[in-house]
Amino acid sequence: MKKNIFYHAGCSVCKSAENEILQLIDKDSVEIVNLGDQPEKILPAKEAGLKSVPALVTSSGTILHINYGASIEDLIS
Amino acid sequence: MKKNIFYHAGCSVCKSAENEILQLIDKDSVEIVNLGDQPEKILPAKEAGLKSVPALVTSSGTILHINYGASIEDLIS
């Protein structure tokens, strides 16, 4: 089964959202990706439609942009 | 236990987010509020910090604004 992926960039907005998401969703069903630590994943995430972090990409491919931490463009530069 | 509350206003962005949320979270733990149908709940939601819909207010009181459907201000007018 494809996992849900929670993308963040280590910012405080991201951390807060991560804590909430992990309380709501079964931890085993979500993979956490810190784009600050894994910059090679930024462009593929952008191509998948990610516009900002934090965001949850569900197993069906739908992107839920949650609150607003940082633009994906700001992570590239 | 205080429930999570998912606020929406019936728009397509809201419906899409609602479907995703209901796949991720146990349905029994979340109450769905359509502010279009229950306008009396708009002002209390705004006072609790709701800025836009769709949004999930968690049982701990944290607000996760998801994607962007409509501003709470637009629902008042």
Side-chain angles (χ1 to χ4, degrees):
Chain A
M1 192 190 119
K2 219 178 156 190
K3 270 198 171 189
N4 304 298
I5 307 175
F6 181 81
Y7 288 98
H8 73 100
C11 61
S12 60
V13 171
C14 294
K15 281 285 167 195
S16 166
E18 179 183 342
N19 289 339
E20 294 298 326
I21 290 290
L22 289 180
Q23 282 182 34
L24 293 168
I25 305 178
D26 178 18
K27 282 177 188 55
D28 293 333
S29 73
V30 60
E31 178 189 347
I32 310 287
V33 173
N34 183 335
L35 292 174
D37 294 339
Q38 300 177 71
E40 73 279 7
K41 294 195 174 174
I42 295 176
L43 277 178
K46 189 188 171 195
E47 279 163 14
L50 207 78
K51 290 180 188 160
S52 61
V53 287
L56 182 69
V57 180
T58 70
S59 53
S60 64
T62 304
I63 302 181
L64 301 175
H65 294 98
I66 300 167
N67 293 342
Y68 186 84
S71 161
I72 192 94
E73 298 292 344
D74 292 337
L75 299 179
I76 293 170
S77 56
Chain B
M1 191 190 121
K2 220 181 155 191
K3 271 197 170 189
N4 304 297
I5 307 176
F6 180 80
Y7 288 98
H8 72 100
C11 61
S12 60
V13 171
C14 295
K15 280 286 167 193
S16 165
E18 179 184 341
N19 289 339
E20 294 299 325
I21 291 291
L22 289 180
Q23 283 182 33
L24 293 167
I25 305 177
D26 177 18
K27 283 177 188 56
D28 292 334
S29 72
V30 59
E31 178 188 348
I32 311 286
V33 173
N34 183 337
L35 293 174
D37 292 339
Q38 299 178 71
E40 72 280 7
K41 294 195 174 174
I42 295 176
L43 278 177
K46 188 189 172 193
E47 279 163 15
L50 207 78
K51 291 178 186 158
S52 62
V53 286
L56 183 69
V57 180
T58 70
S59 53
S60 64
T62 304
I63 302 182
L64 301 176
H65 294 98
I66 299 167
N67 294 343
Y68 185 84
S71 161
I72 193 94
E73 297 293 345
D74 292 336
L75 299 179
I76 293 171
S77 55

